[in-house]
Amino acid sequence: MAETIIWPAYIDSSKSRSEGRRLPRDVAVDSPSAAEVANAAKQVGYEPEYEPEKQYPRSWWENRGRVTVETDEDKGDVLRAVAAYVEVLRDTDE
């Protein structure tokens, strides 16, 4: 299995594509934290490794962390599943 890195910027609807967003804005979520991403990845069925001290190279001044998961699935599919579940978790918290 391959290690897939998920930076919160990948699914952040407030970021532009050049700032690192990899999903369309209508699928992405607003300002997710790495902790939310890790929790969503766990709920989806992955075994995430949360690394809060890591900094995304394109925005190195933001200390948001990252999440890694071991999977053979397509990265886009993983990002879509995690983003969707972040939304679900936010809806249940309200």
Side-chain angles (χ1 to χ4, degrees):
M1 284 205 269
E3 180 180 74
T4 299
I5 296 173
I6 306 172
W7 294 99
Y10 287 177
I11 63 172
D12 189 345
S13 64
S14 67
K15 300 278 187 191
S16 67
R17 290 281 186 165
S18 64
E19 291 172 320
R21 181 174 47 84
R22 293 199 175 186
L23 296 178
R25 283 195 198 274
D26 62 335
V27 177
V29 296
D30 186 42
S31 301
S33 68
E36 283 181 307
V37 172
N39 190 17
K42 187 172 187 174
Q43 295 296 323
V44 172
Y46 302 113
E47 293 182 19
E49 182 181 340
Y50 172 48
E51 299 171 298
E53 73 285 350
K54 298 293 184 179
Q55 297 168 314
Y56 185 51
R58 289 189 190 179
S59 56
W60 53 267
W61 58 91
E62 296 177 1
N63 191 10
R64 292 177 63 180
R66 74 176 184 186
V67 176
T68 59
V69 295
E70 294 283 333
T71 184
D72 286 331
E73 295 178 39
D74 179 62
K75 189 170 194 165
D77 293 340
V78 173
L79 294 176
R80 285 177 186 273
V82 169
Y85 217 87
V86 168
E87 281 291 330
V88 168
L89 292 174
R90 285 182 176 178
D91 288 344
T92 58
D93 287 344
E94 293 176 356

